[in-house]
Amino acid sequence: MAEDPRDWGLATRLVRGGLARSPHGETAEALYLTQSFVYDSAEAADARFAGDEPGYVYSRYGNPTVKMFEDRLALAEGAELCRATASGMAAVHLALCGLLRAGDHVVSGKAVFGSCRWILNNWAPRFGIEATLVDAPDLAAWRAAVRPDTKVFFLESPANPLLEICDIAAICQIAREIGAKVVVDNVFATPIFQSPLTLGADVVVYSATKHIDGQGRVLGGAVLGDAALLEEAYRDLIRHTGPAMSPFNAWVLLKGLETLDLRVRRQSVTAALLADRIAAHPRVKDCRYPGRPDHPQAAIAARQMTGGGTLLAFDLGSRAAAFRFLGALEVLDIANNLGDAKSMATHPSTTTHRAVTEEERLEIGLTQGWVRLSVGLESEADLARDIERALDAC
Ligand SMILES: *Cc1c(COP(=O)(O)O)cnc(C)c1O
């Protein structure tokens, strides 16, 4: 009996999934750094363009290294199909555009990544698509926002930057009742700790730039879901608008997937320990970590996530205190990236959420005292010492 990769454990799928060796039998995945492909004859080119013969024609449509990345991530996610994109935002844009047309309406959580909010508020209206933003943990708000023309629900959980969590299964149920599709941005939870497709989502999007690379090198993104839906909604859009991932980036991200399970679990263990120490510090007004029992949506987190993740946020009460904290750090970097091997601290109000208005920031509870921490792979003792020294300094 041949092994079915879908039956493998997650760690095995992440290391071996999608591997398609060339006749040379290389151990590492081959990097097909090529734009296009040649044909044995005009007849062969004719057949390949007609779709009568399998094979690649142009790397904007597909590429063998990118395909290995897509197949590996699809296996990890338990999705039928994955399409890779040049960045996480290309994935979100593609995911929404392929499901929407003029006259359609989207309901989205308020607390979503800044650029996603920009697409909904500033870009979609140009094409006659309206969005209503709701307080995502409030199920009644999703129901109340539904209109006859609602076609898509968009959500992020845990959400940036304050780790707000919403009940994905319950929101998917509301969407099913009205025939809308659900797109979930699963960047913060990662494929290791949360599987939106099993909770009822139709499409999952990732910024592979974050944990999937995890070592600060390349941008990438992905859209995952059922093959029929992805083919119908995205195949031609990908071919003709060109959000394709570079084969080089796909190769880097394939190697990232091999260590994803190990890295994310280790980072999450350290994040949980640091969250407890930070929450206990007298200067800290509030500390949010999905794995802590005092998280506002701890019960939902326990139901739909298998780990707390690598991110936490805490409130120091004022922008001055937050800046003193950041200024006193010696080991952690001040940076707005996340999911990296290097731990990073950021002040969301002046960086990632700068483009969001003050009023919108207050709606999601983001006051000037909040600091977001992405926990990396350094020794826990060094991170704890650095953070506690910086907290003492504010
Ligand atoms: C980073 C991020 C994105 C965008 O990804 P890029 O790769 O930077 O384009 C989208 N959603 C979330 C939650 C993110 O953290």
Side-chain angles (χ1 to χ4, degrees):
M1 274 293 280
E3 290 267 328
D4 183 343
R6 287 172 300 185
D7 298 333
W8 288 341
L10 179 58
T12 311
R13 281 177 272 150
L14 286 164
V15 172
R16 294 193 169 267
L19 176 59
R21 289 199 166 112
S22 83
H24 299 300
E26 63 283 348
T27 44
E29 294 71 15
L31 169 50
Y32 293 92
L33 200 54
T34 182
Q35 295 163 342
S36 60
F37 303 83
V38 299
Y39 315 95
D40 289 340
S41 64
E43 288 78 9
D46 179 24
R48 200 155 316 163
F49 269 81
D52 296 337
E53 213 177 68
Y56 295 95
V57 296
Y58 192 48
S59 285
R60 168 150 47 79
Y61 292 15
N63 170 282
T65 308
V66 177
K67 176 85 165 37
M68 282 191 264
F69 170 76
E70 291 171 335
D71 289 350
R72 183 167 295 178
L73 186 56
L75 272 174
E77 192 69 32
E80 283 178 8
L81 197 67
C82 167
R83 292 310 309 267
T85 57
S87 69
M89 283 321 303
V92 172
H93 184 249
L94 177 75
L96 294 174
C97 283
L99 296 174
L100 292 164
R101 60 196 63 219
D104 287 348
H105 174 244
V106 185
V107 185
S108 166
K110 270 180 193 158
V112 293
F113 188 71
S115 296
C116 303
R117 195 160 168 147
W118 183 87
I119 289 180
L120 295 168
N121 284 344
N122 302 71
W123 187 241
R126 282 215 215 172
F127 304 95
I129 297 161
E130 284 183 32
T132 303
L133 303 189
V134 299
D135 183 22
D138 180 1
L139 295 177
W142 289 88
R143 269 186 214 286
V146 167
R147 307 192 326 203
D149 52 359
T150 303
K151 294 291 160 52
V152 169
F153 279 9
F154 179 70
L155 62 93
E156 184 180 313
S157 181
N160 196 21
L162 302 187
L163 292 316
E164 177 185 279
I165 288 169
C166 59
D167 188 335
I168 299 175
I171 293 166
C172 290
Q173 180 57 37
I174 299 170
R176 221 171 0 253
E177 285 163 19
I178 60 154
K181 301 275 187 245
V182 181
V183 178
V184 177
D185 182 335
N186 205 38
V187 168
F188 274 40
T190 81
I192 308 301
F193 292 139
Q194 182 168 276
S195 304
L197 296 176
T198 64
L199 298 168
D202 299 285
V203 175
V204 174
V205 293
Y206 284 106
S207 164
T209 314
K210 310 295 167 53
H211 303 83
I212 293 176
D213 179 346
Q215 290 148 88
R217 300 164 297 190
V218 302
L219 299 179
V223 178
L224 299 109
D226 284 352
L229 174 66
L230 258 67
E231 285 289 304
E232 190 202 325
Y234 306 128
R235 180 179 174 272
D236 291 345
L237 199 56
I238 290 171
R239 287 184 167 212
H240 305 301
T241 66
M245 174 182 278
S246 137
F248 178 79
N249 289 6
W251 183 82
V252 172
L253 294 167
L254 269 163
K255 305 319 276 179
L257 284 176
E258 291 183 358
T259 57
L260 182 70
D261 185 71
L262 205 57
R263 284 184 287 108
V264 166
R265 287 185 200 281
R266 165 72 185 268
Q267 286 168 241
S268 180
V269 167
T270 310
L273 292 165
L274 292 176
D276 289 344
R277 296 179 78 142
I278 290 167
H281 195 281
R283 295 284 158 79
V284 175
K285 312 245 175 300
D286 195 357
C287 176
R288 299 267 171 84
Y289 180 65
R292 276 177 60 85
D294 64 353
H295 186 285
Q297 295 93 29
I300 304 170
R303 250 194 343 263
Q304 69 190 19
M305 296 177 72
T306 56
T310 69
L311 286 129
L312 58 103
F314 52 94
D315 183 10
L316 293 172
S318 70
R319 172 175 161 158
F323 275 34
R324 279 197 297 277
F325 171 82
L326 293 171
L329 291 170
E330 290 179 30
V331 179
L332 283 92
D333 291 309
I334 302 171
N336 47 280
N337 201 17
L338 61 96
D340 203 275
K342 294 182 174 64
S343 295
M344 295 170 175
T346 188
H347 184 245
S349 328
T350 51
T351 59
T352 55
H353 287 65
R354 195 187 182 89
V356 177
T357 65
E358 175 77 22
E359 191 191 337
E360 288 169 339
R361 281 199 295 268
L362 292 179
E363 271 175 20
I364 60 166
L366 179 59
T367 47
Q368 298 271 332
W370 284 93
V371 171
R372 189 194 73 193
L373 221 63
S374 170
V375 178
L377 286 170
E378 303 93 335
S379 302
E380 185 229 326
D382 295 327
L383 296 175
R385 190 179 58 254
D386 197 34
I387 290 166
E388 275 170 1
R389 181 178 42 224
L391 288 174
D392 291 342
C394 47

